[in-house]
Amino acid sequence: MTVADLPPRGDIGAPIQQQVNPSGTDVAGAYYIEYAYRDTHTPNMVAVVLADYRAFDTLGEVIVVFAGAIGCFFILRRRT
Amino acid sequence: MLELLKGHYAYFFLMLLFVIGLYAMMMKKNLMKKIMGMSMVQSATIMVWIVAAFKHGGTVPILDRSIPVDNPDLYINPLPHTLMLTAIVVAVVTLGVSFALVISIYRNFKSLDEPTILKRMK
Amino acid sequence: MKSQTDSPIIEVAARGLAPVIQLIGIYVFFHGHYGPGGGFQGGVLLAAGVLLLRMAVGFENSQVQVPSRKTLILCSVGALIFAGTGLVALLMGGNFMDYAHLPVPGMEAADIRYYAILFIEIGVTMAVMTALISIYDDLLGT
């Protein structure tokens, strides 16, 4: 059964909650928890990841919002 | 079996929500019901990520002076929360664009029923 | 004064409630560094305040707050604030979106990042708020 292979809810031993994952590379989540305040002096880690570490992701997301607004405008525009 | 239900009940409920949404997207004839199904699929996907971020014994990912930051087990993983924060806004905007398309279809064909639209397209 | 609803109760309640919702939006936006909140949530709350007035007092009467013509312009300005901050960091010799290279004299790198996060959240808030208002106005069809 495939669902049973998923880690149970809240399991600390799951691969995404470790500092080093099974293939030997560092896991992003533990790094963010450890270094977020040291790098930016901002207590909210989600804001730091959103606007600093993954700012390019957020830039693309803002552009998606802008493209959605432009798309609605051109779909529903009254032709005069 | 009880152990499986205790650890994985959230995944079963979210699978059910996902499958209901997928059924509404594929089988319903009304376009508004299809959009409702799309919204349910988006919600189920977002909640799977939020469930995966949870740790037993962890607190919210906001720095507390009394909790040391060196041990990552004491804070919930902030990465899925961030990704889903952007995904929620994108979900709202896709709903807006799909409503715009539905309004445009209704202006042209005066119906939202899919067989009626296909009949009037000919 | 021609309003969308005939009921004075809805109009008075919406007029009293909309500034409170917008004040909560501004609080959520500026408190994003120290608690749950940030640009997206604050922008959505600000848009909710404007849309409540749009629905309660009518489309023409609520043009005073955010005019419909200017929503897309403000949305693009918000996206440009975000991209421009990253571009300035690129021109000053760092990576794209590496805020430590922004030309702010007399501050250490971590504090520059603190204020740069606040600055680009302003752009995110403007973009999200005006995009939602613009989508509502387009769906209204006027």
Side-chain angles (χ1 to χ4, degrees):
Chain A
M1 204 169 166
T2 317
V3 180
D5 292 338
L6 286 170
R9 175 176 174 272
D11 185 19
I12 296 181
I16 70 161
Q17 321 284 24
Q18 303 301 308
Q19 283 181 311
V20 177
N21 70 4
S23 65
T25 52
D26 288 340
V27 173
Y31 179 87
Y32 294 152
I33 290 172
E34 204 166 331
Y35 287 94
Y37 188 76
R38 237 170 278 175
D39 283 346
T40 65
H41 290 179
T42 304
N44 191 350
M45 296 164 194
V46 175
V48 176
V49 179
L50 183 79
D52 197 325
Y53 289 121
R54 294 197 170 227
F56 201 76
D57 191 3
T58 311
L59 175 65
E61 195 271 340
V62 169
I63 290 173
V64 165
V65 170
F66 180 59
I70 291 280
C72 273
F73 178 72
F74 280 111
I75 288 169
L76 291 173
R77 175 181 59 164
R78 300 287 179 138
R79 286 169 184 79
T80 53
Chain B
M1 190 63 201
L2 195 65
E3 193 67 23
L4 182 69
L5 277 182
K6 198 178 157 213
H8 295 78
Y9 67 96
Y11 294 113
F12 287 113
F13 281 123
L14 292 174
M15 270 168 60
L16 193 65
L17 186 62
F18 190 92
V19 171
I20 291 171
L22 207 61
Y23 171 78
M25 278 176 79
M26 291 165 71
M27 291 298 178
K28 290 293 176 185
K29 296 285 190 282
N30 195 324
L31 289 182
M32 285 305 288
K33 289 178 184 172
K34 279 179 191 287
I35 291 176
M36 287 180 198
M38 188 181 79
S39 181
M40 287 166 76
V41 169
Q42 285 167 344
S43 305
T45 315
I46 286 166
M47 280 193 275
V48 165
W49 282 70
I50 297 300
V51 166
F54 180 71
K55 291 176 191 170
H56 278 304
T59 181
V60 290
I62 294 166
L63 182 76
D64 193 347
R65 299 282 179 192
S66 58
I67 303 175
V69 82
D70 298 329
N71 185 5
D73 289 343
L74 297 178
Y75 287 97
I76 290 174
N77 202 341
L79 184 56
H81 288 142
T82 308
L83 297 177
M84 289 308 110
L85 191 60
T86 61
I88 289 170
V89 180
V90 169
V92 170
V93 174
T94 49
L95 273 184
V97 174
S98 53
F99 283 147
L101 286 171
V102 161
I103 287 175
S104 181
I105 286 172
Y106 187 78
R107 277 185 193 159
N108 280 336
F109 297 107
K110 300 293 176 219
S111 170
L112 283 184
D113 191 36
E114 204 179 351
T116 316
I117 293 172
L118 286 177
K119 206 180 299 171
R120 288 180 190 172
M121 275 168 109
K122 284 172 191 166
Chain C
M1 289 292 285
K2 180 171 165 297
S3 68
Q4 192 157 345
T5 60
D6 290 332
S7 164
I9 297 174
I10 292 176
E11 193 172 328
V12 169
R15 279 186 182 172
L17 207 56
V20 179
I21 293 175
Q22 284 178 327
L23 192 65
I24 293 173
I26 293 173
Y27 166 73
V28 165
F29 163 58
F30 278 108
H31 201 257
H33 279 50
Y34 299 101
F40 292 112
Q41 297 94 322
V44 169
L45 275 170
L46 285 171
V50 176
L51 294 187
L52 181 63
L53 280 181
R54 282 265 204 280
M55 281 192 276
V57 304
F59 184 75
E60 288 84 11
N61 293 336
S62 66
Q63 292 287 315
V64 185
Q65 275 203 325
V66 181
S68 302
R69 296 178 278 109
K70 292 186 180 155
T71 49
L72 279 179
I73 300 170
L74 282 173
C75 187
S76 57
V77 166
L80 271 181
I81 285 176
F82 200 142
T85 310
L87 207 61
V88 167
L90 182 68
L91 290 179
M92 297 308 287
N95 288 323
F96 188 59
M97 294 281 176
D98 189 2
Y99 307 132
H101 290 270
L102 288 177
V104 182
M107 290 169 73
E108 57 175 316
D111 285 336
I112 296 177
R113 288 178 195 271
Y114 178 90
Y115 288 108
I117 288 173
L118 190 63
F119 188 67
I120 65 162
E121 295 262 1
I122 292 174
V124 171
T125 308
M126 280 174 63
V128 171
M129 169 188 166
T130 51
L132 290 181
I133 295 171
S134 166
I135 287 174
Y136 175 79
D137 287 342
D138 291 337
L139 292 182
L140 208 59
T142 47

